[in-house]
Amino acid sequence: MNETMNLLIGLAMGLNLMALGSSRLPSVVRAMAVQGVVLGCLPVIIERNFDWLVSFVALVTVLVKGFAIPTLLQRAMRSANIDREIEPFIGYVPSLLLGAVGTIASVAAARMLPLLPEHAETLIVPGAMASIFTGFVLLVGRVKAISQVCGYLIMENGIYLFGLLLIHSTPFLVESGILLDLTVGVFIIGIIVDRIQRAFDSLDTRKLTTLRE
Amino acid sequence: MNGLLLIFVPLGGAAISAFWPSERTRPLLLPAVGVIHTVLSFWLLAFPPPIQLGAWMGYDPIARAVLPAVSLLFLSCAVYAVSYLRLRSERPNRVFVTALLAILGLLSAGHQARHLGLLWITTEAVTLAAVPLLHFNNTPRAFEATWKYLLIGGTGIALSLLGSFCLGYASLRGGGSGDLTFAALSAQGAALSRPWVLIAWVLLLVGYGTKMGLAPMHTWKPDAYGEAPGIVGAILAGGVTTVAFTAILRIRAVVDSAGAGAVASRTLLAIGLFSMLVAALLLLATRDFKRMLAYSSVEHMGILVIGASFGAVGVWAALFHVWSNGLTKGALFLSAGNIRRAAGGRTVDEVRGMSVVTPYSAAILVIGMFAVTACPPFGPFFSELRVLKAAIGTGHWAAAAMFLVALLFVFFGLSRIVFGIVDGRPRVAASAGSIGGMRVRETLGVILPPVVLLGLSLWIGVATPALLRDAWSAAVAQLFPTP
């Protein structure tokens, strides 16, 4: 079981690097979506016995993260007529290097954390830290609203992955509440992105500089 | 009758408002729900319902010590909103009214949450429900503010989720069940895995601190408060921030029981003093009177966490300050909203002579300014005095000195701007006082609520009711259980 899980988490960590290194927005969105699907499948693998509730939550997660949110973002991209990040604050090669260093550092840091024996041999904690770090780099280093949303979602993916450590103890209600909030949040972000596009005729967040001291 | 009514009455009101057919009568739902909520919250304060220890929700002493203040603030804002939405009848109000009521319900849920996951869900939901309120004015500036609010607030709230998971893992690693109720976590106490508790504390402090608007995570605050209607600023500054503050108090109690209370107090003191100093310096620089209120809010959040760092006496003072700050800040936001509408400008360069154009609102703003900068005999003076006494009583002389210096700078900053817009001869455009060519009249509906809030602030300052004192003492007893 651990091998399959580690394989999937490794794949998610690779997708982090793909999101960091790509200049085309659709591929960043795709990396984020595939990562969401990969991570959404994990609970079914961790839970050895088939459980309706867990499968249902996994299915909803996959549908929301893999299909609903990417469709929303693609629509926003089409209406804004952009598909490429130009002049990011942190270039592609530096962010890729940052991502690689971050991934190695998170594997090293996870060894130092006191983990339960059954978690110490999985990639859950390093994978989570790497995704959170990647999300931060995208949030800070990119200027297009869509890339920042992707960064936010990749960070959420990392936190979700960390939450899997508690899968046997957090009640179902809490997980579904978190998923619901996340979904609503992204829809609201989508609406605001759309309004910003109309108000500023651009999704370049560098134009959002009227408000400062 | 129990605390759940406090949640479901406003949420029911929100549902009704979403389907209410008439634009003209819909805002009346706000004071209606506000009255029920206020009566309920004080009724339950006087006659507390029983609470099961392991319950996920409960109107426990901490909720009782804070939530009635939010109720009062909401009620005043609701009365104001009826007049305000009539003035702004060009904007549809369905979403606005629904979101305000939803926020009240979710705030009540957040204050009563005794489960870390539930607390996170409600805080996130409040954050999201506030979004339509922020861009009510529908200007590009409002969207810019909303975007920053969403990204910064979203990141903060994501970090607090990570922190919640870390605290859960601290329990698992310590041999517990990973139960995320505060009661279970505190009961596990020293058995919690210390490294994970510390990681969780940092993440949760940053996360909920972002929601509170502590420096350096405060950057969304001036934008959001500056661009949103005054009433939204009042509810964000006096209501939404309190939910994050009680979250920090509850989490601190868990960290304390795990034996890391000293670390927690030190970080709270440092971040609180930093917030006060940053706010004081920015207040000396800003020229916008609505952003001024945001920085003042950052300063008061700093005072709250400074209070919380001084043990039981300090937490008592901080709970007092939640009331005095919320009520006074409400009066300031509402009167500043009146002035902003009449003046048509927002900076000291554009606006002056408001004592002629809007004499009542200008008077409230000036009195409120003195109140919020801790001039006696208003509430903030007494609560800040108690924070100061707690600082000196616990031997934090340097912190007390920095606290006073920051207060002095804040007074300079606030009085400079307030007198700048109130004094002098009004500009021609402003004296015509026009929204669509109509002269702005200061109706009773937009004057009475801030006056009442100021009156309440005065009242809890000079004659703090025994009911409230007991409520704060009970909350302190819950946070610092004597073994």
Side-chain angles (χ1 to χ4, degrees):
Chain A
M1 173 201 79
N2 271 351
E3 284 81 58
T4 335
M5 188 163 76
N6 281 348
L7 190 71
L8 287 179
I9 297 176
L11 185 62
M13 289 162 94
L15 288 164
N16 282 338
L17 298 180
M18 193 178 133
L20 282 173
S22 170
S23 71
R24 291 194 62 248
L25 289 178
S27 38
V28 180
V29 173
R30 210 170 302 129
M32 183 269 297
V34 176
Q35 193 182 46
V37 172
V38 167
L39 298 181
C41 296
L42 281 179
V44 185
I45 299 172
I46 295 178
E47 203 74 45
R48 266 159 262 194
N49 307 322
F50 183 77
D51 183 350
W52 277 106
L53 283 181
V54 172
S55 318
F56 178 72
V57 173
L59 186 69
V60 174
T61 314
V62 166
L63 286 179
V64 169
K65 289 189 175 169
F67 299 98
I69 293 173
T71 314
L72 201 75
L73 290 178
Q74 265 152 12
R75 180 129 38 100
M77 272 189 291
R78 222 174 298 132
S79 72
N81 207 10
I82 49 164
D83 76 341
R84 202 170 274 284
E85 177 90 37
I86 304 158
E87 297 171 27
F89 290 130
I90 305 177
Y92 304 107
V93 178
S95 29
L96 203 55
L97 284 176
L98 263 178
V101 171
T103 308
I104 296 166
S106 39
V107 175
R111 283 186 192 283
M112 291 193 282
L113 284 170
L115 294 171
L116 288 174
E118 68 259 36
H119 297 139
E121 57 204 57
T122 67
L123 278 173
I124 291 185
V125 176
M129 288 200 288
S131 290
I132 293 166
F133 181 75
T134 305
F136 266 121
V137 173
L138 285 176
L139 263 178
V140 176
R142 300 291 150 93
V143 297
K144 290 277 190 273
I146 303 269
S147 322
Q148 291 177 343
V149 174
C150 286
Y152 180 69
L153 286 166
I154 289 178
M155 189 172 75
E156 280 286 0
N157 278 345
I159 293 170
Y160 170 85
L161 184 55
F162 191 87
L164 290 182
L165 291 176
L166 296 172
I167 189 166
H168 296 294
S169 51
T170 33
F172 171 70
L173 183 69
V174 174
E175 273 168 36
S176 43
I178 290 169
L179 186 64
L180 178 72
D181 270 358
L182 178 64
T183 317
V184 175
V186 172
F187 274 99
I188 288 178
I189 289 180
I191 294 167
I192 298 297
V193 164
D194 185 49
R195 298 281 176 87
I196 287 179
Q197 205 269 321
R198 279 189 221 164
F200 290 86
D201 211 16
S202 154
L203 280 179
D204 191 336
T205 51
R206 278 175 304 183
K207 295 198 175 163
L208 304 180
T209 51
T210 337
L211 304 176
R212 62 198 159 119
E213 218 56 70
Chain B
M1 186 135 79
N2 61 40
L4 289 180
L5 276 177
L6 288 169
I7 303 167
F8 288 115
V9 167
L11 288 183
I16 295 172
S17 142
F19 294 103
W20 194 269
S22 159
E23 284 283 316
R24 211 168 48 81
T25 50
R26 189 180 302 117
L28 293 174
L29 281 170
L30 288 170
V33 172
V35 167
I36 299 175
H37 195 270
T38 311
V39 170
L40 261 179
S41 67
F42 277 92
W43 177 269
L44 292 172
L45 172 64
F47 306 100
I51 296 160
Q52 282 97 25
L53 192 63
W56 283 21
M57 280 273 176
Y59 199 48
D60 62 4
I62 300 175
R64 289 205 291 275
V66 179
L67 192 55
V70 179
S71 279
L72 275 180
L73 178 69
F74 184 88
L75 179 57
S76 318
C77 290
V79 173
Y80 180 93
V82 175
S83 306
Y84 172 74
L85 289 172
R86 199 161 293 155
L87 289 174
R88 299 292 311 271
S89 51
E90 84 281 5
R91 302 277 307 138
N93 62 32
R94 186 185 300 272
V95 177
F96 190 83
V97 174
T98 308
L100 266 183
L101 290 171
I103 283 182
L104 180 65
L106 293 167
L107 280 179
S108 311
H111 277 294
Q112 298 187 60
R114 293 162 59 81
H115 183 282
L116 209 49
L118 206 57
L119 177 66
W120 185 86
I121 292 170
T122 49
T123 318
E124 164 85 358
V126 169
T127 309
L128 295 176
V131 167
L133 301 179
L134 291 178
H135 63 75
F136 180 68
N137 286 330
N138 220 16
T139 57
R141 291 171 66 106
F143 284 116
E144 179 180 339
T146 313
W147 177 249
K148 290 182 180 169
Y149 168 83
L150 262 178
L151 267 202
I152 300 170
T155 310
I157 213 88
L159 289 181
S160 54
L161 178 62
L162 185 61
S164 309
F165 286 150
C166 286
L167 206 50
Y169 199 71
S171 155
L172 269 190
R173 183 68 176 68
S177 59
D179 186 350
L180 285 177
T181 53
F182 290 107
L185 287 169
S186 291
Q188 212 180 337
L192 293 168
S193 163
R194 195 179 154 91
W196 284 105
V197 169
L198 292 179
I199 296 173
W201 169 247
V202 171
L203 290 170
L204 287 163
L205 182 63
V206 170
Y208 286 110
T210 310
K211 201 82 225 56
M212 255 181 106
L214 293 168
M217 297 86 76
H218 67 285
T219 46
W220 61 272
K221 226 171 183 180
D223 299 346
Y225 291 9
E227 299 313 313
I231 164 178
V232 176
I235 290 191
L236 285 178
V240 176
T241 50
T242 57
V243 108
F245 179 59
T246 47
I248 288 178
L249 285 182
R250 286 179 196 271
I251 293 159
R252 206 205 89 95
V254 172
V255 175
D256 206 13
S257 72
V263 182
S265 292
R266 267 205 304 280
T267 44
L268 281 177
L269 182 60
I271 204 169
L273 284 173
F274 184 68
S275 300
M276 279 189 85
L277 290 176
V278 166
L281 294 177
L282 285 166
L283 273 172
L284 291 172
T286 189
R287 306 186 69 73
D288 181 321
F289 63 89
K290 285 185 82 178
R291 293 171 76 88
M292 163 193 91
L293 294 180
Y295 291 126
S296 166
S297 174
V298 173
E299 174 226 343
H300 285 276
M301 294 304 122
I303 295 177
L304 288 183
V305 293
I306 289 174
S309 73
F310 297 139
V313 194
V315 169
W316 198 93
L319 291 170
F320 187 0
H321 196 66
V322 166
W323 282 70
S324 57
N325 171 50
L327 298 173
T328 319
K329 204 50 76 50
L332 277 174
F333 269 105
L334 296 186
S335 58
N338 291 343
I339 291 176
R340 161 86 186 79
R341 271 198 308 287
R346 56 180 88 226
T347 65
V348 278
D349 309 310
E350 301 161 336
V351 182
R352 69 178 95 105
M354 295 315 287
S355 57
V356 179
V357 184
T358 53
Y360 296 107
S361 302
I364 297 167
L365 189 70
V366 171
I367 299 172
M369 186 274 289
F370 280 114
V372 88
T373 50
C375 292
F378 290 95
F381 168 72
F382 292 98
S383 52
E384 287 175 30
L385 191 64
R386 280 178 182 274
V387 172
L388 194 64
K389 271 168 72 181
I392 293 170
T394 49
H396 290 87
W397 288 95
M402 282 166 79
F403 180 80
L404 287 174
V405 169
L407 282 186
L408 186 68
F409 280 145
V410 166
F411 179 74
F412 290 154
L414 281 177
S415 56
R416 178 183 65 98
I417 298 165
V418 167
F419 286 114
I421 60 173
V422 167
D423 259 359
R425 186 178 294 181
R427 296 195 162 236
V428 185
S431 59
S434 53
I435 294 178
M438 271 193 326
R439 190 175 163 75
V440 175
R441 280 206 354 264
E442 293 184 276
T443 54
L444 200 60
V446 297
I447 292 301
L448 198 60
V451 170
V452 169
L453 283 172
L454 267 187
L456 287 171
S457 163
L458 187 65
W459 181 48
I460 67 161
V462 292
T464 321
L467 185 65
L468 295 184
R469 290 171 175 275
D470 294 345
W472 300 331
S473 302
V476 170
Q478 184 188 341
L479 287 167
F480 297 91
T482 37

